[in-house]
Amino acid sequence: MYNHIQHYINGQWVDSTENEMIDVINPATEEKIGEISSGTKEDLDKAVQAARDAFPSFSQTTKEERADLLDRIADEYEKRKDKFIEVIMEELGSPVNFTTEVQYPMGLNHFRATAKLLRDFDFTEERENSFIQKDAIGVAGLITPWNFPTNQASTKLASAFAAGSTVVLKPSTETPFAAVLLTEVFEAAGLPKGVFNLVNGTGSTIGDGISSHPDIDFVSFTGSGGVGTKIMENAAQDIKKVSLELGGKSPIVVLDDADVDYAAKTAISHIAGNTGQVCTAGTRAIVPESMHDDFIQAIKNHISEYPVGDPKDKSTFTGPQISEDQWKTVQDYIQTGIDSEATLVTGGTGKPEGLETGYYSKLTVFTNVKPDDTIAQEEIFGPVLSVITYKDLDEAIDVANGTIYGLAGYVVGNDPDNLTKTARSLRSGRIVVNNEPADFTAPFGGFQQSGIGREWGDYGIEEFLEPKTIVGLPS
Ligand code: NAD
């Protein structure tokens, strides 16, 4: 059991003002693995006060001191590799290989990359008759989802600490224990008390409390568009700055000279990785008409290479959905696809054979999907791929750009001109050509309804800063 019924405020674990608990469930077994405290507004007030008290001195530390701190955090994070993997597997149902190769290092990479960039980051600038100084924004409220428990918290925390801001973090109630482990990391790294505060609890109490709190200067949120809207509405009341990392419906544009097996495997890996619960997942494969039949055959040939099953089994590629609610949502979308004029290639509703316990879905692929169909427009957040055909590249780019989102885009193919034209024409915050690995120093964030603001690296640090112009400063 991972019971953790206290909040971390001003450098120590403290009891909640009330005794209400929230159960945490392992989605692979449907069993309770622990509980957390359902925090109150009073708990949040104490955490915000601790962050406010810590701000004057932390914001005056040097960037070298903060870069050293980030490196110490990364060292302590690495020492707890096995613990992180175990916790993320249990609370998210994330398969052991995916957890080890993707979930675990993502959090670590943010601390390392930010430490390196911070050493060269300029907090001052001179131009014309101005001296520009970038000050830490103040107290930041951080709200995170469940699908990458250390990644989303770590990118926000690394940027905040680099900038000299202090924080209150509210993780998702589905995956709260990775944040408890992060707290252990910060203590071991010697983070000054009050710089980091953790309050567990529901979105409607703690999340809402953060976005409307008069003593919080900035809200950095990752999650769904609906909640993002509520946060903006609350933050608007006192003109609080917000950064929103929201959903996506990202395209994979397959060029006509792409290797068809490579393209099909790329598409399957997007819906199978993290069970399709990835904001940047490529869930629309946009394929040349002339390649369609071969592409569908390649999907059928390769889909069994991404087995759904027990997260602890090393041969498992795809685990369960996070919760019964999320499983039902995915099932409804699969039914919507079946009821449309699209063709079901593989998968469908119900649980995969032999996986009756756990919130497992089948890897599901539809073809003959029209660009405006519901399953091609709405974020499903599950293992469902829509295949759409195109006649020429301009049409492919139009289809790719034809949603309310703009978080990521993928291009698969060989011709350098067409790869470049497509990559540069996609209206999204992150474009990946032929599965190039992520660059943790480059900005991450969305166009349109995928969000506002950027995370990762120096762009992430900028979010936690306020530029101040001074004219007439004596030289
Ligand atoms: P969610 O919006 O339901 O919850 C996210 C967080 O917000 C949780 O901590 C939740 O408790 C909190 N919350 C809920 N109601 C709130 C309220 N009224 N005020 C303040 N906070 C509240 O999202 P989720 O289901 O946890 O995550 C899935 C969504 O997150 C998907 O839409 C996905 O695309 C998005 N996401 C985006 C990114 C990105 O970087 N762009 C990354 C991961 C996930």
Side-chain angles (χ1 to χ4, degrees):
M1 280 288 189
Y2 289 91
N3 290 348
H4 216 101
I5 56 174
Q6 292 181 307
H7 310 293
Y8 188 76
I9 298 173
N10 204 25
Q12 53 188 335
W13 290 102
V14 295
D15 289 338
S16 192
T17 53
E18 278 182 27
N19 223 7
E20 207 175 312
M21 299 298 157
I22 299 169
D23 288 347
V24 182
I25 307 293
N26 177 335
T29 61
E30 301 183 31
E31 282 168 6
K32 178 176 166 180
I33 55 164
E35 55 186 20
I36 50 162
S37 192
S38 184
T40 63
K41 291 264 162 86
E42 292 74 37
D43 298 322
L44 177 63
D45 283 344
K46 288 182 192 164
V48 173
Q49 190 57 51
R52 283 232 84 80
D53 292 346
F55 180 71
S57 97
F58 188 61
S59 60
Q60 294 310 309
T61 52
T62 65
K63 67 175 184 178
E64 287 77 18
E65 286 170 328
R66 298 197 298 276
D68 289 347
L69 173 69
L70 290 177
D71 272 333
R72 288 202 304 280
I73 287 172
D75 294 342
E76 294 297 333
Y77 187 115
E78 276 182 303
K79 286 183 198 163
R80 289 161 181 79
K81 179 176 181 181
D82 292 345
K83 278 191 184 176
F84 272 116
I85 291 169
E86 185 194 307
V87 164
I88 295 171
M89 282 176 65
E90 290 277 320
E91 63 182 11
L92 181 61
S94 174
V96 60
N97 285 347
F98 189 84
T99 312
T100 308
E101 288 158 23
V102 183
Q103 290 277 2
Y104 162 76
M106 284 193 86
L108 177 64
N109 289 338
H110 289 303
F111 290 111
R112 286 275 184 238
T114 307
K116 191 161 174 272
L117 284 164
L118 179 57
R119 292 197 162 85
D120 295 326
F121 191 90
D122 288 326
F123 284 84
T124 60
E125 184 190 330
E126 285 179 54
R127 59 169 82 158
E128 302 286 335
N129 61 337
S130 300
F131 179 83
I132 300 161
Q133 176 176 310
K134 295 177 183 177
D135 287 351
I137 196 163
V139 174
L142 317 178
I143 305 173
T144 53
W146 43 261
N147 62 333
F148 282 86
T150 61
N151 169 53
Q152 284 120 357
S154 298
T155 181
K156 295 180 193 307
L157 291 162
S159 298
F161 298 160
S165 282
T166 58
V167 306
V168 177
L169 170 67
K170 189 211 93 64
S172 167
T173 50
E174 276 94 351
T175 58
F177 298 122
V180 172
L181 204 46
L182 278 176
T183 311
E184 191 182 306
V185 164
F186 300 150
E187 273 196 326
L191 189 71
K193 66 176 190 173
V195 172
F196 168 80
N197 303 276
L198 170 71
V199 181
N200 276 314
T202 62
S204 53
T205 302
I206 305 303
D208 181 85
I210 285 176
S211 58
S212 53
H213 204 292
D215 288 328
I216 287 183
D217 303 287
F218 170 43
V219 180
S220 174
F221 170 75
T222 302
S224 60
V227 173
T229 301
K230 284 188 195 156
I231 286 173
M232 274 187 98
E233 282 169 0
N234 276 354
Q237 302 312 309
D238 59 355
I239 323 292
K240 206 191 300 302
K241 180 181 172 182
V242 294
S243 134
L244 304 174
E245 294 292 338
L246 308 175
K249 190 74 190 177
S250 300
I252 304 173
V253 178
V254 178
L255 302 184
D256 59 7
D257 63 353
D259 178 277
V260 71
D261 285 307
Y262 180 79
K265 286 205 260 185
T266 299
I268 300 168
S269 70
H270 273 267
I271 58 163
N274 220 32
T275 320
Q277 303 171 134
V278 183
C279 52
T280 52
T283 51
R284 295 181 294 141
I286 302 170
V287 178
E289 260 180 18
S290 56
M291 191 194 280
H292 173 264
D293 293 356
D294 290 343
F295 183 81
I296 295 302
Q297 189 56 51
I299 293 268
K300 289 179 182 163
N301 293 346
H302 291 292
I303 199 120
S304 62
E305 294 162 22
Y306 301 79
V308 181
D310 180 359
K312 294 198 166 103
D313 184 337
K314 282 200 168 154
S315 65
T316 294
F317 196 94
T318 306
Q321 312 293 159
I322 182 68
S323 63
E324 191 171 7
D325 278 356
Q326 189 63 26
W327 183 83
K328 284 182 182 153
T329 301
V330 171
Q331 296 298 308
D332 286 349
Y333 274 115
I334 294 174
Q335 191 59 51
T336 300
I338 290 170
D339 294 342
S340 74
E341 286 173 20
T343 311
L344 182 66
V345 175
T346 185
T349 52
K351 293 187 177 179
E353 216 183 303
L355 292 171
E356 282 72 29
T357 304
Y359 308 123
Y360 293 99
S361 301
K362 296 175 189 165
L363 296 185
T364 297
V365 178
F366 289 99
T367 190
N368 301 322
V369 179
K370 297 200 181 64
D372 291 338
D373 284 354
T374 302
I375 57 167
Q377 287 290 321
E378 295 184 13
E379 184 185 51
I380 298 175
F381 229 53
V384 183
L385 177 73
S386 294
V387 180
I388 303 168
T389 56
Y390 71 85
K391 287 191 174 59
D392 60 46
L393 198 50
D394 288 333
E395 184 191 357
I397 292 166
D398 279 350
V399 170
N401 288 335
T403 74
I404 58 168
Y405 295 111
L407 191 58
Y410 304 86
V411 195
V412 180
N414 290 298
D415 178 72
D417 290 339
N418 283 339
L419 285 173
T420 305
K421 172 181 168 166
T422 310
R424 296 193 66 161
S425 304
L426 295 183
R427 303 271 305 153
S428 292
R430 172 160 295 229
I431 313 298
V432 179
V433 177
N434 289 329
N435 294 316
E436 183 73 11
D439 174 358
F440 286 84
T441 69
F444 178 96
F447 285 32
Q448 299 197 95
Q449 292 189 31
S450 287
I452 298 174
R454 291 294 179 269
E455 299 197 315
W456 298 27
D458 48 342
Y459 281 79
I461 301 172
E462 296 277 3
E463 293 287 338
F464 288 82
L465 294 171
E466 288 282 23
K468 174 167 74 191
T469 299
I470 306 173
V471 286
L473 195 69
S475 50

